[in-house]
Amino acid sequence: MSLPKFSYLAPASLEEACDLLGKYQGKIRIKAGGTDLMVRLAQRALKPEYIVGIRQIPELAAISFNPDEGLRLGAMALLSDVAGHPLVQEHYPMLARAAKSTATVQIRNMGTVMGNICNASPSADNSPTLVAMNASIVAISKTGERQIPIDEFFLGPGRSALEPTEIAKEILVPAPLPRSGVSYQKISPRSKVDIAAVNVGAMVTVDEQEACQQTRICLGAVGPIPLRATTAEEFLQGKVITDEVAEQAGALAGSDASPISDVRASKEYRRLMVIILTKRALLEARYGTRI
Ligand SMILES: Cc1cc2nc3c(=O)[nH]c(=O)nc-3n(C[C@H](O)[C@H](O)[C@H](O)COP(=O)(O)OP(=O)(O)OC[C@H]3O[C@@H](n4cnc5c(N)ncnc54)[C@H](O)[C@@H]3O)c2cc1C
């Protein structure tokens, strides 16, 4: 794989990294694992003069959980770290499932959850569950920090709300609500080790009568960004998720999707899979409900 010429910079602190992004604005790209970035460089889709590697900034690798604030995933937390972390597996099993569904062992040992999000691909494996769980992204630059709700993060294929001078520092995922459950569903042409043709994340929170109080459903690979299935979400408000209700919600999610045909799947197949995977996700999230 031949690459264009660039200078590689490896700051040891966030402060230094922010200075570099400010100084070389427009000429510099961030590299986390590089599993997306290097492909784009090889394709000459990007030709930065500088690349800033953030692997050597120790605080970015952290993964922590506390029951009030929830989960913090540092920008350099590898897909394999997230898939295998005991706290993620215990409190956020669907984040672990999504990370484990991403690519191959080799890629998971290099690539990060944050890189998967910042790449802003509509089919990214880790976006639907993070959207369903109402995560947010902490961005830092020389001028300070800000928190971007994930609903406002994706702007289009390959485009996010991050400014060119900002580093996405960590992902915050709220603590799971009582009486809530989450599901991640994926279908891809080559079984598991492949980019999704369709993926769905859902979080369901119910009241004491098992009626939906809050539902967040996110559809991947069926629009320019990971899409909220708002018609299906509104339909579920106040309803108990039976098989029939899940099927009806799935059909509504199918109308919320706006898929295109490409090498991975036709738009008709994608819409059908949205219907089926949304139903599955809702039933799994319901059965996952903690009482
Ligand atoms: C063979 C192969 C198979 C793959 N299979 C899948 C798959 O099944 N599912 C899937 O979803 N993806 C897949 N991918 C894509 C890729 O591996 C993932 O998206 C990975 O999570 C990217 O993480 P990374 O750390 O390597 O990101 P990088 O390549 O380092 O960065 C990706 C983009 O995000 C930006 N970026 C990274 N970190 C930050 C940050 N902290 N702040 C601001 N911007 C940042 C970079 O500048 C770049 O534009 C595959 C890739 C390959 C090569």
Side-chain angles (χ1 to χ4, degrees):
M1 176 161 84
S2 95
L3 295 174
K5 265 192 162 179
F6 55 80
S7 301
Y8 187 76
L9 308 165
S13 71
L14 262 177
E15 200 186 351
E16 206 186 319
C18 290
D19 283 346
L20 291 169
L21 285 176
K23 186 170 168 194
Y24 298 122
Q25 211 178 125
K27 301 177 192 166
I28 188 163
R29 293 296 295 208
I30 296 172
K31 174 180 165 291
T35 60
D36 277 315
L37 183 68
M38 289 303 156
V39 175
R40 301 206 67 207
L41 291 180
Q43 293 167 339
R44 304 303 196 260
L46 294 172
K47 287 183 191 164
E49 284 178 41
Y50 300 92
I51 289 196
V52 55
I54 54 172
R55 193 182 285 273
Q56 288 176 39
I57 304 174
E59 70 207 77
L60 294 185
I63 296 178
S64 65
F65 171 75
N66 97 40
D68 298 322
E69 287 187 346
L71 182 71
R72 284 177 183 267
L73 290 179
M76 277 311 303
L78 301 177
L79 290 155
S80 53
D81 293 339
V82 174
H85 198 285
L87 286 173
V88 182
Q89 287 178 341
E90 183 183 347
H91 301 285
Y92 301 85
M94 293 301 144
L95 295 189
R97 182 192 283 179
K100 201 172 174 194
S101 311
T102 312
T104 57
V105 174
Q106 294 90 331
I107 299 281
R108 290 198 291 276
N109 284 337
M110 286 182 72
T112 59
V113 171
M114 187 68 98
N116 193 234
I117 299 300
C118 290
N119 197 46
S121 161
S123 57
D125 267 301
N126 298 272
S127 302
T129 40
L130 289 169
V131 172
M133 298 196 76
N134 207 5
S136 48
I137 314 299
V138 180
I140 185 167
S141 70
K142 274 184 82 168
T143 54
E145 272 190 26
R146 68 180 177 126
Q147 208 168 308
I148 309 168
I150 201 157
D151 284 346
E152 295 164 21
F153 189 74
F154 301 108
L155 302 184
R159 288 196 306 122
S160 79
L162 286 174
E163 298 292 336
T165 51
E166 284 180 320
I167 299 174
K169 187 181 137 193
E170 58 189 0
I171 301 171
L172 304 180
V173 196
L177 294 166
R179 309 184 67 84
S180 70
V182 183
S183 175
Y184 178 60
Q185 302 290 329
K186 168 181 183 178
I187 192 150
S188 61
R190 281 186 297 147
S191 163
K192 304 261 178 215
V193 185
D194 197 6
I195 303 219
V198 176
N199 53 11
V200 175
M203 181 173 82
V204 174
T205 309
V206 298
D207 63 18
E208 299 207 334
Q209 283 69 49
E210 299 291 319
C212 290
Q213 270 186 327
Q214 196 200 5
T215 314
R216 289 176 64 94
I217 303 169
C218 178
L219 314 174
V222 289
I225 59 171
L227 288 181
R228 290 279 298 281
T230 48
T231 318
E233 290 174 1
E234 282 160 25
F235 163 78
L236 287 164
Q237 189 63 30
K239 293 194 173 65
V240 174
I241 300 180
T242 58
D243 282 14
E244 198 190 342
V245 165
E247 190 151 340
Q248 287 170 326
L252 291 171
S255 63
D256 283 323
S258 56
I260 55 164
S261 298
D262 66 12
V263 285
R264 244 171 242 120
S266 69
K267 63 183 178 192
E268 293 79 12
Y269 176 78
R270 282 195 156 105
R271 201 180 297 281
L272 184 61
M273 286 305 114
V274 166
I275 295 170
I276 292 169
L277 295 188
T278 302
K279 178 182 175 187
R280 263 185 219 165
L282 289 169
L283 291 175
E284 184 178 48
R286 177 194 72 171
Y287 288 124
T289 298
R290 292 151 204 221
I291 310 287

